[in-house]
Amino acid sequence: MSAVIEIEGLRKTFHSLRNGRRVAVDGFDLLVEAGQIHGFLGPNGSGKTTTLRALLGLVRADSGRMSVLGEPSPQLLPRVAGRIGAIVESPQFFGNFTGYRTLRLLARAGGVPIARVDEVLDTVGLRDRGDERVKGYSLGMKQRLAVASALLKDPQLLILDEPANGLDPAGIREMRDLMRSLAAAGVTVLVSSHILGEIQLICDHVTIISRGRRVATGRVDEVLAGYDRHEFLVRVAEPERAVELLHEAELTASVDGEALVVGGVTDPTVISRVLGEQGLWVGELTPLRPDLESVFLELTGAGGHPSVPRQVDDSGPLPGAGDAEIDLDVRGVDA
Amino acid sequence: MNLVRAEVERLSARRFVQLMVVLLVLAFGVTAATTLAGSHKPSAEELSSARSQAAEARQSMENTFQQCLARQNGALPPTDSEQYFPSDCSEIDPTLRDRLPIAADFLPGVFSFAQQARPLLYFLIAFLVLFGFLVGASYIGADLNSGGVVNLLLWRPRRMTVLGAKLGTLLGAVLGLAVVASVVYLATFWVIGQTAGLGGPLGGDFWRSLGAVHGRGLVLVLLASALGFAIATLGRHTSAALGAVAAYAVVWELGARLVLEIVDARRPDQLMLSSYIGAWLSGEARFYDSRLCTGTETGMYCEGFYSLTWAPSLVVLLVLTGALTAAAFAVFRRRDLI
């Protein structure tokens, strides 16, 4: 597959008189291939938006190499800008304009046929509200309008920064369906979000950033598999005795409330067999698979302690995480 | 071209622009209505009386001048010896006056277009300068602040083109509005003068002079617009332009002028932008310099004024606006848009 977005060694430092020097992105790498729905995750202040802004020529990178749709960015970005639809954070629209007029102006500025405006308003569910002024829109409606503006160009690459901001559950589901249908139509989607469940549902690939550095990348299932400890939740009548029996069988096991957590198991029938042979019948045997949230919190160190408020800059790779970066992306894995 | 069309639509849809246009129309309407209400077509008797009063006034000036010359020559009759005359009679020479009394000066309640056109035009230009500066600053300032520019750059990632299109659109729109407004404005008062007042002497010299003021006024409006745009671009906000102008006016035009006068600096007016604006608009501005008369023999007339003319004033205004605009483009080219 061809690379649609390539970022290598991106570095960006912000300087201010008040706050001094702050490294926002520190040698970050990203690879998004054609046809992917690629999730871009990171805690607040980790450098996601700065990366997207640098990619789109809105901030100047200190160093690193970037290319979009095969063209170096930002140098030759204008060549491919007509094929990129993007929203970065929540774009502000002119409140005095209607949704239709807002899109018509963008279409005119970008040389897109005006007829396309009605199409995208329909796509994002604003067909009947396009004649209303933007200042009367809810946050979710503004977000839909932003997505509509990104879709106007009928893009090959869609970059969406927090597209679910302000959307109600139905809107989030519509957004998910929209991204899937776009991907099915051959559009490559790069989506950053904090809603990890959503990312897990819609994305086939994911890159996680923390403190400006990539801490994991690859197919979603492979990233999750990398954190699978092969643990199972087991319910039996005598948990304490069950632990002893499992230890004797050289399995790790501990009591967790009224159940057991058994680890280091590749074949769960072993658990049933060990306990069943001693007359302990298993009532429940559930694999404990890592989800994206637990992996994200572990990788970014953003979990913290419930009793200690976490500060924005507290997130970051765990000690040595730079060395332990998970990179499960294998070119051509889908081919 | 598409970008410019889109920008024209955005500019014309701005509430602030619409408000300023309404204010312009309102000010124009109130001025025209009060002028119309306060003026009447002079009768033949009023005209005749005014003409004779003007002739008398001119004759009186001539007589005084002749008496002054006579006193200089020692031929003044004793009855006139107590009258005040300047030491240099050229000060009251009627032929050296900017203007001599005319009939319109003696027609109270009669609007004279020839007499009032220039001050009316100055008022309009002052409004348009304010309009251009505020609209120029808010047009880019609001867009930078709200993320509108970022939105546009996602579509057209050419910063210089986008900023240039915005500035070009602004200048074109302001010039178009200024030309239309000033032509309609002057035409309205010309009609008032013809129908409910006095036209006055409207020869070639009058129209040439008025045209020159009009042309210079339009240039000033464009410079003010570009200046507002440039400062707001540099400061990323509309208020940056307003603050810069307020700070300049208070710190330099008022504060520094005071300090310069206290330390008796030579020709402080030469350091003030307002002097060049005045000189550019009126063609020439005169300022007092006490040192010009240092060494003049007692009894000899010394005027003590120096002039700023339109040409160097234009250079100063162009250099200032050009430098700030160039700086705005240079900064915008490299700036992080966050």
Side-chain angles (χ1 to χ4, degrees):
Chain A
M1 271 189 195
S2 60
V4 173
I5 296 174
E6 276 184 296
I7 298 177
E8 286 178 14
L10 177 67
R11 186 178 168 83
K12 175 64 186 174
T13 307
F14 289 108
H15 301 269
S16 79
L17 289 175
R18 188 186 297 177
N19 301 319
R21 179 175 165 276
R22 186 176 65 80
V23 178
V25 183
D26 187 10
F28 179 73
D29 300 325
L30 175 69
L31 176 68
V32 178
E33 295 184 323
Q36 289 182 354
I37 304 183
H38 196 111
F40 187 24
L41 307 180
N44 291 334
S46 60
K48 295 190 302 292
T49 300
T50 302
T51 300
L52 296 182
R53 285 179 184 276
L55 185 68
L56 295 167
L58 299 174
V59 303
R60 294 172 67 87
D62 302 334
S63 60
R65 194 185 68 80
M66 296 179 284
S67 73
V68 189
L69 293 169
E71 299 290 351
S73 180
Q75 300 86 342
L76 297 180
L77 187 62
R79 278 192 191 172
V80 291
R83 293 188 277 148
I84 303 169
I87 57 171
V88 183
E89 288 189 325
S90 293
Q92 300 295 310
F93 294 109
F94 202 22
N96 207 24
F97 281 3
T98 64
Y100 179 87
R101 194 176 185 187
T102 300
L103 296 181
R104 191 188 65 191
L105 274 178
L106 286 173
R108 184 170 285 165
V112 171
I114 301 299
R116 179 88 183 122
V117 173
D118 285 323
E119 290 173 26
V120 295
L121 279 173
D122 189 42
T123 303
V124 300
L126 286 177
R127 184 188 59 209
D128 300 329
R129 310 291 291 271
D131 290 334
E132 293 177 18
R133 290 186 175 180
V134 172
K135 66 181 172 190
Y137 280 11
S138 67
L139 181 59
M141 287 166 71
K142 285 177 184 166
Q143 199 63 20
R144 287 168 188 259
L145 184 63
V147 174
S149 73
L151 294 175
L152 259 183
K153 289 185 268 189
D154 202 3
Q156 287 177 15
L157 169 63
L158 195 57
I159 297 174
L160 302 173
D161 190 12
E162 301 290 352
N165 258 2
L167 293 181
D168 55 23
I172 291 173
R173 183 172 178 171
E174 287 163 19
M175 191 65 67
R176 187 196 310 154
D177 293 341
L178 174 64
M179 279 189 252
R180 281 183 177 147
S181 65
L182 288 168
V187 178
T188 305
V189 182
L190 174 65
V191 54
S192 89
S193 177
H194 287 116
I195 306 177
L196 302 174
E198 275 305 305
I199 292 285
Q200 192 167 347
L201 276 174
I202 60 173
C203 294
D204 44 45
H205 286 72
V206 67
T207 294
I208 301 177
I209 182 174
S210 182
R211 288 201 170 183
R213 301 181 71 176
R214 187 174 77 180
V215 291
T217 189
R219 291 184 59 89
V220 173
D221 50 2
E222 290 172 353
V223 169
L224 295 178
Y227 276 77
D228 191 347
R229 298 193 182 103
H230 304 290
E231 289 179 332
F232 289 83
L233 185 79
V234 179
R235 288 187 193 278
V236 289
E238 299 173 62
E240 303 294 341
R241 186 170 159 235
V243 168
E244 287 174 19
L245 293 170
L246 291 165
H247 282 165
E248 286 169 14
E250 297 183 343
L251 295 174
T252 60
S254 59
V255 177
D256 184 13
E258 294 178 355
L260 306 179
V261 175
V262 183
V265 183
T266 49
D267 178 8
T269 59
V270 173
I271 301 172
S272 304
R273 185 172 51 78
V274 167
L275 296 177
E277 282 173 356
Q278 300 302 319
L280 280 177
W281 305 110
V282 173
E284 181 185 344
L285 181 63
T286 308
L288 293 177
R289 302 233 184 275
D291 58 10
L292 205 49
E293 180 174 294
S294 58
V295 173
F296 173 84
L297 294 176
E298 186 165 337
L299 279 171
T300 61
H305 190 280
S307 63
V308 182
R310 184 180 67 85
Q311 304 305 304
V312 168
D313 291 331
D314 286 349
S315 60
L318 298 173
D323 302 325
E325 179 198 326
I326 299 175
D327 190 347
L328 297 160
D329 195 29
V330 180
R331 286 198 189 215
V333 72
D334 295 332
Chain B
M1 196 57 209
N2 284 334
L3 187 58
V4 172
R5 279 180 62 197
E7 285 302 316
V8 168
E9 192 171 344
R10 284 167 64 84
L11 180 61
S12 59
R14 293 193 70 82
R15 276 289 170 87
F16 184 70
V17 174
Q18 292 169 351
L19 177 70
M20 289 298 284
V21 171
V22 168
L23 281 177
L24 174 65
V25 171
L26 214 62
F28 172 38
V30 168
T31 315
T34 50
T35 304
L36 191 61
S39 179
H40 66 276
K41 189 92 180 155
S43 64
E45 291 79 29
E46 280 180 299
L47 267 178
S48 166
S49 164
R51 281 179 187 136
S52 36
Q53 284 182 68
E56 279 172 24
R58 288 193 295 269
Q59 189 56 53
S60 167
M61 290 169 75
E62 180 61 28
N63 291 345
T64 307
F65 176 59
Q66 291 304 331
Q67 285 172 340
C68 181
L69 289 178
R71 194 199 64 172
Q72 262 186 3
N73 299 333
L76 188 69
T79 51
D80 294 335
S81 59
E82 289 181 4
Q83 190 174 347
Y84 167 76
F85 294 106
S87 55
D88 183 352
C89 292
S90 64
E91 280 185 58
I92 57 170
D93 183 350
T95 58
L96 298 179
R97 290 287 180 95
D98 289 340
R99 64 185 291 277
L100 291 171
I102 57 172
D105 297 337
F106 300 93
L107 285 169
V110 175
F111 170 74
S112 166
F113 180 74
Q115 212 172 7
Q116 295 298 319
R118 202 179 248 249
L120 282 169
L121 189 56
Y122 281 145
F123 166 70
L124 181 70
I125 288 167
F127 187 95
L128 289 172
V129 164
L130 181 70
F131 175 90
F133 183 84
L134 293 179
V135 167
S138 73
Y139 175 45
I140 186 69
D143 247 12
L144 281 170
N145 200 242
S146 70
V149 169
V150 167
N151 252 2
L152 201 52
L153 285 170
L154 290 176
W155 280 73
R156 297 285 288 260
R158 295 179 189 276
R159 292 191 181 200
M160 295 297 95
T161 306
V162 166
L163 197 65
K166 279 185 176 291
L167 179 58
T169 303
L170 170 74
L171 295 182
V174 169
L175 180 63
L177 179 81
V179 168
V180 170
S182 50
V183 168
V184 171
Y185 184 78
L186 288 175
T188 302
F189 284 102
W190 180 82
V191 169
I192 291 174
Q194 296 298 321
T195 56
L198 199 65
L202 304 176
D205 285 347
F206 168 81
W207 289 114
R208 262 193 297 281
S209 164
L210 196 67
V213 172
H214 185 222
R216 288 197 298 264
L218 292 180
V219 170
L220 194 62
V221 170
L222 291 181
L223 291 174
S225 306
L227 203 63
F229 183 91
I231 301 173
T233 304
L234 287 167
R236 296 176 189 243
H237 209 286
T238 309
S239 57
L242 306 183
V245 167
Y248 169 78
V250 172
V251 173
W252 191 252
E253 291 277 349
L254 297 177
R257 186 189 294 272
L258 200 64
V259 171
L260 290 169
E261 282 175 9
I262 289 169
V263 300
D264 199 22
R266 193 172 184 203
R267 299 187 178 186
D269 294 294
Q270 269 188 336
L271 302 173
M272 302 293 156
L273 200 55
S274 57
S275 306
Y276 294 98
I277 292 172
W280 164 248
L281 199 55
S282 57
E284 182 182 0
R286 284 154 56 86
F287 301 99
Y288 183 67
D289 179 1
S290 59
R291 297 186 196 183
L292 282 175
C293 294
T294 307
T296 306
E297 286 178 33
T298 311
M300 291 297 290
Y301 174 65
C302 173
E303 201 174 31
F305 284 95
Y306 69 97
S307 293
L308 286 178
T309 58
W310 65 266
S313 301
L314 178 61
V315 171
V316 168
L317 296 175
L318 280 177
V319 166
L320 174 74
T321 310
L324 283 171
T325 306
F329 272 78
V331 166
F332 184 73
R333 185 168 175 269
R334 299 183 59 84
R335 169 180 286 165
D336 288 337
L337 295 169
I338 50 177

